[in-house]
Amino acid sequence: MSASTPDPADPVFHLHLGGKMAVASTVPLTSREDLSLAYTPGVARVCEAIAADPALADTYTWVSHTVAVVTDGSAVLGLGNIGPRAALPVMEGKAVLFKQFAGVDAVPVCLDTQDVDEIVATVRALAPSFGGINLEDISAPRCFEVERRLDEALDIPVFHDDQHGTAIVVLAALRNAAALLNRKLGDLRVAVSGAGAAGVAVTKMLIAGGVDPARVVVCDSRGIIGRHRELTGTKAELADLTNAEGRQGDVTEALRDADVLIGVSGGQIPEAAVAGMAPGGIVFALANPTPEVHPEVAARHVAVVATGRSDYPNQINNVLAFPGVFRGALDAGATRITDAMKVAAADAIAGVVAESLTADAIVPSPLDPRVAPAVASAVADAARRDGVARR
C-alpha cells in the first residue's frame, strides 16, 4: 500500500478537513428554562421513567434512530489491515450515508483490538446506547463469529454490511438481469469467485432468494470448493451445500457452461474462462477498483455486466441496501435482521427499476431517492411477518 501525502489543495483532503460529521442539538438551548428541561433538573424525571421501564429509551432518547458503525480496521476497502485510526474516515463516510439516504443517525466506533472476545464484549457493553449495530471492515473469518455472537447476545439488529449489504444488492441485480433475459433464478448455473465474507454471504443470499444450491459452484484461492477438499468452518458448510456435480479444478472449470459469474475475490479471471460460459450469460465483477474481469472484456462474451465501480453501468453499491435495511429495522423495532428481511430488501431494490430494465440499468442509481424508503417499508413488513418486530 502506497501512502498518500496530505495536500490542502487536493479536493479529497480539503473535504476531509475536520472530519465529515458533527453532533447537533435537536432542541433549543437559549434560555434557563431550556437548560432546565434538557438537562438538570428536568432530565432526571426522564431518567427515572426509563429506569422503571427500559423500553421508554426508544421514545425518549436517540436509540430508535441511531446505530453504531463498528470496525477493528482489519479489512478496510482494498487497503487491508490499516487499523482503527486509519479506518475512521471510512466509518465517518458510512455514517453520513446513513443520515443522507435514510435519516438514520450513526456513530463511528473504531476499536483498538482485533481479538474476537474483546470486540464482542466491547460492543455488548456499548449496545444500550444504540438501536442497531452495523459491523464494517472486519476481516474473515473473524467477522462471521463476531456477527454470530453479537446477534445471539443482543436484542437489537446486528448486520455485517460487507457480507449482507453486498449480498442483498447482488440478489436484486441478478433478479433483474434474469428477468431481462427471460430466465428463472432456479435454472441458472452460478459460479462465485471468492469465499471470504462477501462470497459466503452472496452464496447464501442467492440460495435464500431462489437459486438452486446444486447449481452453484464457489471458488477460493485454491480452486473449487467441494467435498473432495479437507475444509472446516464456513467453507465446509459451502462444500456440503453447493457443487452437486462434484466439480474440481480452478475458476475456469467453475465457469464452464455457467450462466452467471459473481466475482468477489479481487483475483483476476482470464478472458478465456469467461468465454467458456454459456451463451447469454451474466457477469458481476465486483472487486474494486480493479474488477476480476474488465467490463469491456466481459461484454464481448455475456449479455449483462455489472461492477462495483461508479464509472461503469450497473454499479453494485451497498448504499442501495444498508440505509433502508436499518431504517426499516429501526422503524419496526426489530430485534434482529432475518434472511426474509434481507430478501425483502433485495426485492424492493429490484422493484424500483423493474419496469424500465435494460442491460445497462438492472439496478437503481445509488442516488435514487426512491430506494431507501422502498427498502425500509419492505424490511419493516418482513420483520413483522417474521415475528421479530416490537412495533
Side-chain angles (χ1 to χ4, degrees), residues 330-354:
L330 292 169
D331 288 348
T335 56
R336 58 191 299 266
I337 294 174
T338 65
D339 285 346
M341 293 163 71
K342 298 171 198 171
V343 172
D347 290 347
I349 294 167
V352 169
V353 293

Side-chain angles (χ1 to χ4, degrees), residues 261-264 283-287 290-295 305-309:
L261 163 63
I262 310 291
V264 282
V283 167
F284 295 171
L286 305 183
T290 305
E292 292 85 354
V293 184
H294 193 283
V305 179
T307 74
R309 292 174 50 147

Side-chain angles (χ1 to χ4, degrees), residues 288-289 291 294-296 307-315:
N288 222 340
H294 193 283
E296 293 173 10
T307 74
R309 292 174 50 147
S310 59
D311 54 347
Y312 287 97
N314 296 326
Q315 184 188 18

Side-chain angles (χ1 to χ4, degrees), residues 1-370:
M1 178 184 68
S2 59
S4 295
T5 302
D7 177 0
D10 184 325
V12 171
F13 282 96
H14 182 73
L15 181 144
H16 283 79
L17 284 172
K20 299 190 288 286
M21 57 185 294
V23 174
S25 174
T26 62
V27 298
L29 292 171
T30 58
S31 68
R32 293 176 65 88
E33 182 181 7
D34 291 341
L35 289 174
S36 69
L37 292 173
Y39 200 54
T40 185
V43 71
R45 293 170 55 194
V46 179
C47 295
E48 290 173 336
I50 294 172
D53 181 2
L56 290 176
D58 285 352
T59 303
Y60 293 107
T61 74
W62 74 351
V63 163
S64 65
H65 56 85
T66 306
V67 302
V69 181
V70 179
T71 189
D72 65 355
S74 60
V76 181
L77 302 178
L79 304 174
N81 187 357
I82 60 175
R85 287 179 180 82
L88 184 54
V90 178
M91 303 310 123
E92 286 185 355
K94 195 83 173 192
V96 298
L97 292 174
F98 267 115
K99 186 67 172 179
Q100 176 67 27
F101 292 108
V104 172
D105 292 294
V107 179
V109 179
C110 298
L111 302 178
D112 194 10
T113 178
Q114 295 184 0
D115 179 83
V116 168
D117 291 338
E118 291 183 0
I119 293 171
V120 170
T122 302
V123 175
R124 287 184 66 179
L126 290 170
S129 295
F130 301 100
I133 305 295
N134 182 98
L135 300 173
E136 194 77 19
D137 292 346
I138 299 173
S139 63
R142 295 175 310 113
C143 61
F144 303 120
E145 183 179 357
V146 169
E147 183 184 45
R148 177 185 59 78
R149 288 172 58 180
L150 287 173
D151 195 45
E152 292 172 353
L154 301 178
D155 62 352
I156 57 176
V158 178
F159 184 84
H160 184 205
D161 185 51
D162 304 288
Q163 294 183 62
H164 310 302
T166 300
I168 287 168
V169 184
V170 166
L171 176 58
L174 188 58
R175 278 211 193 288
N176 279 348
L180 180 67
L181 300 175
N182 198 28
R183 304 289 300 276
K184 295 181 179 179
L185 287 187
D187 295 335
L188 297 175
R189 298 173 66 98
V190 179
V192 179
S193 177
V200 171
V202 164
T203 301
K204 292 182 177 180
M205 179 60 61
L206 293 181
I207 292 169
V211 172
D212 183 352
R215 300 173 72 84
V216 177
V217 176
V218 183
C219 293
D220 63 8
S221 59
R222 293 178 53 200
I224 293 174
I225 290 174
R227 294 180 180 177
H228 60 283
R229 290 174 51 184
E230 293 186 9
L231 300 165
T232 60
T234 303
K235 290 185 180 181
E237 294 177 19
L238 289 178
D240 289 337
L241 186 63
T242 63
N243 192 16
E245 294 181 359
R247 289 198 185 196
Q248 302 182 31
D250 60 10
V251 69
T252 299
E253 172 61 20
L255 283 174
R256 181 173 53 83
D257 296 325
D259 300 297
V260 181
L261 163 63
I262 310 291
V264 282
S265 66
Q268 292 297 291
I269 296 174
E271 181 174 358
V274 179
M277 294 176 64
I282 300 164
V283 167
F284 295 171
L286 305 183
N288 222 340
T290 305
E292 292 85 354
V293 184
H294 193 283
E296 293 173 10
V297 172
R300 298 171 190 160
H301 305 284
V302 300
V304 178
V305 179
T307 74
R309 292 174 50 147
S310 59
D311 54 347
Y312 287 97
N314 296 326
Q315 184 188 18
I316 306 298
N317 192 319
N318 291 16
V319 77
L320 290 168
F322 69 81
V325 167
F326 269 99
R327 178 76 275 168
L330 292 169
D331 288 348
T335 56
R336 58 191 299 266
I337 294 174
T338 65
D339 285 346
M341 293 163 71
K342 298 171 198 171
V343 172
D347 290 347
I349 294 167
V352 169
V353 293
E355 300 303 317
S356 56
L357 294 176
T358 69
D360 288 340
I362 57 169
V363 287
S365 161
L367 299 175
D368 191 322
R370 298 173 295 172

Side-chain angles (χ1 to χ4, degrees), residues 370-387:
R370 298 173 295 172
V371 174
V375 172
S377 177
V379 167
D381 288 345
R384 296 182 182 105
R385 288 194 298 270
D386 276 1

